[in-house]
Amino acid sequence: MDTPPDLLDPDAPDAASGTLERYLGNAIRDLRQRHGLTIAEVADRAGISRGMLSKIENAQTATSLDALHRLAQALGVSLSTLFRNYDVPEGSAQLVKNGEGMEVVRRGTKRGHTYHLLAHEQGPTKLFEPFLITIDSPDAIFPVFEHPGTEFLYMLEGRMEYRHGQHTYLLTPGDALSFRGEVPHGPENLINLPIRFLATIVYPTPVET
């Protein structure tokens, strides 16, 4: 039996919470209905009674691993697939849509630079800051930046020379540059405008005392 790659719906009720019996009942029913199978068909394939399968789907009984294994085979999936979305942490991702990054003021923003912050951490401690930086003025004045942590640049558009300490690096689209933020750094020579690049600052993790 061909099995779609994503049979279990992570948004289904009780997929990540509630009792194990309720979760398994919902998962088995969902798989059965997606395959267009009846309770009788699955029960016969798994070698269990129809009444038992109905009780399993309705979380009215617990069942053995052997019975679950046979049910998984009857549904054309592995046993691990039945548990794939059980007790998964809820998680919290932050989505910033194209063009919706918050414009922020940093040194250089009034000198031909535009900074869009692509993620914003809540709380008193910042672990990282990702920026989309645009330079579109040939008369831009470049301040020298110094900050704790590590910085990573990824060039998207244009060409420029970027200074870090006593060295300069030619950056073209697709190039990446990483360096210690404590060493003075910043754009030095614009070659092709407009210039766009991603800059991610990873700050040191505070040491707990």
Side-chain angles (χ1 to χ4, degrees), residues 105-111 113 115 143-146:
V105 175
R106 298 189 77 221
R107 292 180 60 200
T109 52
K110 294 183 179 180
R111 309 182 188 201
H113 298 200
Y115 292 79
V144 175
F145 297 99
E146 296 179 59

Side-chain angles (χ1 to χ4, degrees), residues 6-16 23 27 30-31 34 84-85:
D6 189 15
L7 281 170
L8 295 183
D9 182 0
D11 296 322
D14 299 307
Y23 167 76
D30 182 58
L31 287 166
R34 289 185 184 217
R84 185 175 64 186
N85 294 315

Side-chain angles (χ1 to χ4, degrees), residues 27-39:
I28 290 168
R29 182 189 300 109
D30 182 58
L31 287 166
R32 177 177 62 77
Q33 292 176 344
R34 289 185 184 217
H35 283 306
L37 299 171
T38 64
I39 285 180

